[in-house]
Amino acid sequence: MGSDPQYASYPNMMLSQHIFTLRQPNLSAQHAASQKVLLASIKENSQAPLYRYLAHPIDGILAGKIDWDETHYNELKKSNDDELEGYEKELQEATEKAGESEIVEAMGKKAEFRARVVDKEKALAEYEELFLKTASTGAKIDIVLAMIRLQMFFDDKYGVERNIERAHRLVESGGDWDRRNRLKSYNGLHLLTTRHFSDAAPPLLESLSTFTSNELCAYSTLVLYAVLAGTVSLNRVDFKKSVVDSAEVLGILGSKPIPAAGGEIDMIDVGSLEGYESLETLINSFYTCDYKSFFTSLAEVEEKFLNRDRILAEHKAWYVREMRRRAYTQLLESYRVVSLQNMADQFGVSVDWLDRDLSKFIPSKKLNCTIDRVNGVIETNRPDDKNRQYADVVKHGDHLLTKLQKFGQAVRLRGSERA
């Protein structure tokens, strides 16, 4: 086990969820609670840059939803300036009188201060300087993870991707077990934001048994992300093993979790973790082919989680559509021909609605079937594996012949040079 993680306290990632909540008109019932949390944090931590970013009447992203008080802002800014002056004085004294470890410690305090008040650009610059001055690989990984959190806070996907690649290189060059596992959680969450759910599922599910990244999100939140990613991407065997029968998943879905000690508010739902029963029903009904319950629970998961979570919300429509497609595919694999009425009854919808929904997937070949409305049936068109394999052999054979021809030409040329 390596040293304890450093620079893991800031920024408070819960705040980014409350910012998201205030920007969503459909979450108006939670606006008052989110506003209260944000204002309390701004006051307690003297977060002048965050206050300006949110509430400034000209360019604040929540202008009008959080009142702007110029006097209050100036007081916060003066408090920041006074605190920063103390860190700069400490750094100057360390530079003049102390050694490298004291200089690094002073630089770390200054960088963490910038992260605490959520001053993104200046915090990133301070962390970069600290990174160059730091010798330990473990501490360098912690610095990069702190930068990733800052960029996640502001939804800077490009910056996150660049630093995750950087963290991977550091981990491979000498990262310890704990930091290697923490990076899995960071990578999984980033892949969710970029809609790579199939790539996100393995690191998220693997990190459940070794989760220590509490600075990133609550454990129950990571379980939610892992379950949703696994359900939409894993094949049936892996889904059963990694999600349905997972001890970590059952530990959350099989109980009624409560908010963490200290009164922290979970990322998913302000003040509570209600709704995990619908998530449990979703995965079980999907696996047992109880499609009526599956459709009902999918709607509940959309309402309770996909609508409310800052990472999942932008993928809501895609996720719900993809889960419907997977359910249709799973049912149709068992039949050569199935009646529209029978299939509609299994999903608990009308024939007309099912017809319209299936028609969204068939033209793009996402469902291998055709609808015969005259006879009221759906006929499946399973891909011909033998023809596909034959086409693959021909394709690879052409590539091989081309390479052999080039090789033969090169050999003849070398032979003519020796002659």
Side-chain angles (χ1 to χ4, degrees):
M1 187 75 68
S3 59
D4 292 335
Q6 304 178 62
Y7 318 114
S9 299
Y10 306 108
N12 182 351
M13 297 301 292
M14 301 295 178
L15 298 181
S16 61
Q17 173 64 29
H18 292 297
I19 293 169
F20 166 83
T21 299
L22 281 174
R23 300 183 74 179
Q24 306 304 308
N26 61 313
L27 301 179
S28 58
Q30 300 169 15
H31 283 187
S34 290
Q35 185 185 70
K36 182 179 178 180
V37 170
L38 286 170
L39 290 175
S41 176
I42 288 169
K43 182 179 180 181
E44 180 181 348
N45 296 292
S46 300
Q47 295 168 320
L50 179 62
Y51 183 50
R52 191 189 190 288
Y53 171 73
L54 297 178
H56 193 274
I58 297 176
D59 53 6
I61 64 170
L62 294 176
K65 294 182 179 177
I66 293 181
D67 294 333
W68 174 257
D69 184 336
E70 189 76 31
T71 302
H72 181 46
Y73 172 71
N74 289 332
E75 290 173 353
L76 294 173
K77 192 171 185 304
K78 184 179 185 306
S79 175
N80 287 175
D81 291 341
D82 292 344
E83 188 173 351
L84 182 61
E85 184 179 348
Y87 292 131
E88 289 177 342
K89 183 178 179 181
E90 181 180 347
L91 176 59
Q92 184 178 357
E93 289 178 354
T95 304
E96 293 173 352
K97 303 176 183 178
E100 287 295 313
S101 61
E102 289 78 9
I103 293 173
V104 169
E105 183 180 353
M107 292 176 70
K109 290 180 181 178
K110 189 177 175 185
E112 283 207 289
F113 161 75
R114 297 289 193 188
R116 191 194 81 207
V117 300
V118 200
D119 191 345
K120 178 191 175 187
E121 299 306 328
K122 290 181 179 178
L124 291 175
E126 298 282 2
Y127 277 128
E128 285 289 357
E129 290 183 15
L130 179 62
F131 181 89
L132 294 174
K133 199 74 174 176
T134 300
S136 164
T137 300
K140 284 188 172 185
I141 294 171
D142 292 339
I143 293 167
V144 175
L145 294 181
M147 296 170 70
I148 291 171
R149 291 196 306 277
L150 268 168
Q151 290 162 329
M152 283 183 170
F153 191 101
F154 290 93
D155 198 27
D156 179 4
K157 294 182 178 65
Y158 174 75
V160 171
E161 183 172 359
R162 188 181 65 234
N163 275 315
I164 282 181
E165 291 173 358
R166 190 181 188 183
H168 274 301
R169 291 194 297 269
L170 288 167
V171 164
E172 293 304 319
S173 68
D176 58 55
W177 176 86
D178 178 65
R179 289 178 173 89
R180 191 179 295 269
N181 282 301
R182 288 172 62 210
L183 182 56
K184 288 181 182 179
S185 302
Y186 283 71
N187 188 37
L189 259 65
H190 170 62
L191 290 168
L192 283 186
T193 66
T194 56
R195 199 176 291 178
H196 292 93
F197 279 65
S198 58
D199 294 329
L204 287 175
L205 289 165
E206 288 171 12
S207 65
L208 292 182
S209 60
T210 56
F211 178 73
T212 57
S213 303
N214 294 292
E215 75 281 359
L216 186 62
C217 66
Y219 179 68
S220 56
T221 303
L222 191 79
V223 171
L224 168 70
Y225 293 152
V227 167
L228 291 177
T231 306
V232 81
S233 63
L234 296 178
N235 61 50
R236 188 171 174 82
V237 174
D238 291 339
F239 175 61
K240 169 72 169 172
K241 178 183 177 182
S242 301
V243 178
V244 178
D245 291 340
S246 167
E248 292 77 22
V249 172
L250 291 173
I252 294 295
L253 301 191
S255 62
K256 293 183 178 179
I258 58 175
E264 288 186 349
I265 298 176
D266 195 274
M267 288 180 70
I268 302 306
D269 194 7
V270 176
S272 76
L273 287 172
E274 296 178 359
Y276 279 72
E277 299 87 352
S278 59
L279 187 63
E280 183 178 15
T281 303
L282 178 75
I283 63 173
N284 288 330
S285 60
F286 180 64
Y287 183 76
T288 60
C289 305
D290 181 1
Y291 297 114
K292 188 176 293 187
S293 297
F294 169 77
F295 258 30
T296 302
S297 59
L298 181 60
E300 292 174 355
V301 166
E302 178 183 5
E303 171 59 28
K304 294 176 180 177
F305 297 109
L306 302 182
N307 278 335
R308 304 182 188 186
D309 184 81
R310 67 185 186 91
I311 290 177
L312 300 172
E314 65 178 306
H315 311 298
K316 175 185 67 175
W318 173 86
Y319 189 88
V320 172
R321 185 172 62 249
E322 183 64 14
M323 285 303 303
R324 294 202 313 269
R325 185 197 68 80
R326 282 175 65 85
Y328 295 148
T329 299
Q330 184 170 270
L331 183 142
L332 291 171
E333 283 176 349
S334 304
Y335 298 96
R336 181 69 181 84
V337 178
V338 61
S339 74
L340 272 167
Q341 186 63 58
N342 181 25
M343 187 169 177
D345 290 343
Q346 290 199 50
F347 282 93
V349 297
S350 68
V351 170
D352 288 339
W353 189 94
L354 180 64
D355 183 16
R356 290 194 301 271
D357 203 40
L358 291 174
S359 299
K360 298 173 184 176
F361 303 107
I362 294 173
S364 58
K365 305 295 183 183
K366 291 183 178 179
L367 284 178
N368 295 308
C369 65
T370 57
I371 300 174
D372 183 351
R373 280 308 300 266
V374 175
N375 296 311
V377 298
I378 303 169
E379 298 180 3
T380 58
N381 298 323
R382 293 184 178 84
D384 190 333
D385 287 340
K386 288 187 177 180
N387 286 339
R388 180 181 57 78
Q389 291 171 1
Y390 175 76
D392 288 343
V393 169
V394 172
K395 180 179 178 181
H396 292 308
D398 286 341
H399 288 316
L400 179 60
L401 288 173
T402 301
K403 289 180 179 179
L404 288 173
Q405 288 171 355
K406 290 181 178 178
F407 178 72
Q409 291 173 357
V411 170
R412 286 195 295 272
L413 285 172
R414 291 194 183 97
S416 64
E417 289 173 359
R418 286 196 297 269

